[in-house]
Amino acid sequence: RITAIRALQILDSRGYPTLRVQLEIDTGAVFEASAPSGASTGAHEAVELRDGGTPFSGRGVTGALASVTGEISNLLTSRPWVSQRELDEALCALDGTGNKSRLGANALVAVSMAAARGFAAGTGHSLHTWISQALGRAERLPVPHFNVLNGGQHAANALAFQEFMIAPVGAATYPQALEWGADIYHALAATLRTRGLATGLGDEGGYAPEISSPEEALDLIVSGIDAAGHRPGISEVAIALDPAANSFFQDGSYHLNGRHYTPSQMVSYYGKLLDNYPIRSLEDPLAEDDAESWPELVSALGGRAQIVGDDLFVTQAARVTAGIRSGSATAVLIKPNQVGTVTETLETLAVASAGGFTAMVSHRSGETTDTFVADLTVGSGCGQLKAGAPARGERVAKYNRLLEIADSNPALPYGLAILSGEGDTD
Ligand code: PGA
Ligand code: ZN
């Protein structure tokens, strides 16, 4: 039973405020969680409550903090809660809006994640095992997708695509994948220096050199993989892209490399990238406002790469269901704070796998050292996590949490998940 709730306005990895919440229960145990925050957000995400005004450029969260220590605390300490679902449904009802804008999705997600840690502890299981039981899925250590070159809204350079990731698909174990990722990250820095390019970092810890074309970035990454002694390849060290195309879509066309591309021209352009580079995954290759073009892209390229909806689906089950019906993608990106509660996040994972979609769990560009997404990835068995570069405290917190899980669960399989229907291993 929850006896007290505390909240603190802390700083995230970009130096903007976010919320840390602690739930205390009658045994004296305390469960904590912190809310992350995105920069390239989808229009349909659950709404963060921000104070406005001058402090912290209007990004203070004292209003969201007051939601937690006021109304939410009153509700949650008023009676015992039998399940995460019951608690999350009560939180949504208390908020009363469709998009969490009254109490704030930042308030709700932190409370919901802290409560999940409490429910897991109550069963005597780790958070990842509790999640796997809630979903009825086999646990799995994911292929980490390390974001090693940053552009778009996460860097000040002229690179339109937001994220260039490396995925050590061919590693035998998770610790080996982490080693490959770190080695390639450092080899890439050396490659950049050799070419006179800067090794300053973007928001997710990847390098942000002054380059502008996706091909230049991909050539650099391939060189970095080679220089680290690994083989660039779809089943060795693969590449994943998050162009986050909302940010270069304007008036019906995509503004890239000094040209304007129609949606169909973008599809051909991605086809050429797939011809020339070992790309296994494309996230938000088209804009959310260009939803009608997604099925064309999936028809053309869906058999060659995973097509992931992030801004398109914003972790919301109803939007994923619509996307499955229309064939708009083949995968969903999972960010708990896009929807606002753990229960809704798990629902979206369940809907995705029932519809034959794969899933990738994700951090946000503004992060804390909270490691919830690492456990969520293992418990969901989805086999894919993106948590930024293999560097910087808020990013390595997630990768190091996976090391800890791997170390204490030596029998856990590592790698991409096999789609249900192709023989899930439960
Ligand atoms: P965000 O970006 O956290 O800034 O929204 C991450 C992404 O687009 O995947
Ligand atoms: Zn994205």
Side-chain angles (χ1 to χ4, degrees):
R1 178 172 184 131
I2 299 167
T3 51
I5 302 187
R6 289 180 287 274
L8 192 63
Q9 173 171 283
I10 61 170
L11 290 185
D12 73 11
S13 58
R14 272 193 283 252
Y16 288 120
T18 191
L19 268 189
R20 177 201 284 167
V21 167
Q22 290 183 330
L23 304 184
E24 185 171 332
I25 61 168
D26 44 9
T27 62
V30 174
F31 303 99
E32 184 177 294
S34 299
S37 176
S40 72
T41 49
H44 300 281
E45 291 195 21
V47 176
E48 286 179 340
L49 208 54
R50 297 279 178 189
D51 295 341
T54 18
F56 294 114
S57 321
R59 300 180 60 85
V61 293
T62 62
L65 187 146
S67 299
V68 175
T69 54
E71 285 186 64
I72 292 175
S73 175
N74 289 341
L75 172 71
L76 295 194
T77 56
S78 68
R79 62 183 182 87
W81 300 90
V82 297
S83 69
Q84 181 77 33
R85 173 174 293 277
E86 187 199 24
L87 185 149
D88 284 338
E89 282 174 356
L91 285 176
C92 292
L94 180 68
D95 174 72
T97 66
N99 59 7
K100 277 88 173 175
S101 56
R102 196 177 75 79
L103 297 172
N106 40 358
L108 296 188
V109 81
V111 169
S112 182
M113 293 192 302
R117 290 192 162 110
F119 282 116
T123 66
H125 289 296
S126 60
L127 181 59
H128 56 90
T129 300
W130 177 81
I131 289 169
S132 84
Q133 289 173 352
L135 279 168
R137 300 263 278 276
E139 296 180 68
R140 171 176 287 277
L141 287 160
V143 173
H145 286 58
F146 300 110
N147 183 8
V148 293
L149 279 182
N150 294 183
Q153 296 188 24
H154 294 166
N157 58 15
L159 195 53
F161 283 13
Q162 180 176 281
E163 302 172 20
F164 294 80
M165 294 168 272
I166 50 166
V169 179
T173 64
Y174 173 73
Q176 188 175 48
L178 192 57
E179 181 191 320
W180 290 13
D183 284 347
I184 294 165
Y185 181 70
H186 296 127
L188 179 58
T191 304
L192 290 168
R193 273 187 233 110
T194 310
R195 305 195 188 180
L197 290 164
T199 53
L201 304 181
D203 286 357
E204 297 191 346
Y207 305 112
E210 269 305 338
I211 55 176
S212 58
S213 87
E215 288 85 348
E216 271 178 283
L218 287 161
D219 287 336
L220 284 164
I221 288 175
V222 166
S223 301
I225 297 172
D226 274 331
H230 293 291
R231 215 151 37 82
I234 215 79
S235 49
E236 227 13 59
V237 179
I239 296 174
L241 299 180
D242 179 6
N246 281 350
S247 63
F248 54 93
F249 181 68
Q250 232 181 359
D251 305 323
S253 70
Y254 294 88
H255 298 223
L256 186 68
N257 297 339
R259 286 186 45 193
H260 294 185
Y261 292 74
T262 65
S264 298
Q265 287 170 335
M266 270 316 277
V267 173
S268 320
Y269 175 68
Y270 286 122
K272 281 195 203 99
L273 291 184
L274 292 184
D275 291 341
N276 295 326
Y277 301 96
I279 296 168
R280 65 165 303 270
S281 182
L282 286 174
E283 176 183 329
D284 286 351
L286 300 174
E288 58 176 306
D289 291 337
D290 188 23
E292 63 278 9
S293 299
W294 284 64
E296 178 194 335
L297 184 137
V298 169
S299 304
L301 308 175
R304 301 173 64 194
Q306 170 180 257
I307 309 300
V308 188
D310 169 15
D311 292 338
L312 185 68
F313 297 141
V314 289
T315 315
Q316 300 189 13
R319 298 182 67 85
V320 173
T321 300
I324 290 168
R325 266 199 218 109
S326 55
S328 297
T330 66
V332 58
L333 199 74
I334 298 290
K335 295 167 165 171
N337 81 323
Q338 281 184 327
V339 62
T341 65
V342 172
T343 298
E344 290 164 287
T345 304
L346 299 184
E347 263 166 27
T348 302
L349 278 159
V351 160
S353 79
F357 270 30
T358 50
M360 182 188 290
V361 175
S362 169
H363 67 157
R364 299 307 303 252
S365 52
E367 267 295 341
T368 71
T369 51
D370 190 287
T371 58
F372 192 93
V373 290
D375 283 75
L376 178 62
T377 311
V378 172
S380 74
C382 73
Q384 316 178 68
L385 170 72
K386 66 167 196 173
R392 295 178 47 138
E394 76 283 4
R395 313 296 152 189
V396 299
K398 282 72 167 168
Y399 296 128
N400 290 342
R401 170 63 184 151
L402 291 177
L403 273 183
E404 205 171 80
I405 296 172
D407 191 56
S408 41
N409 302 272
L412 275 189
Y414 162 77
L416 300 173
I418 302 148
L419 264 185
S420 54
E422 293 177 46
D424 210 329
T425 46
D426 308 9

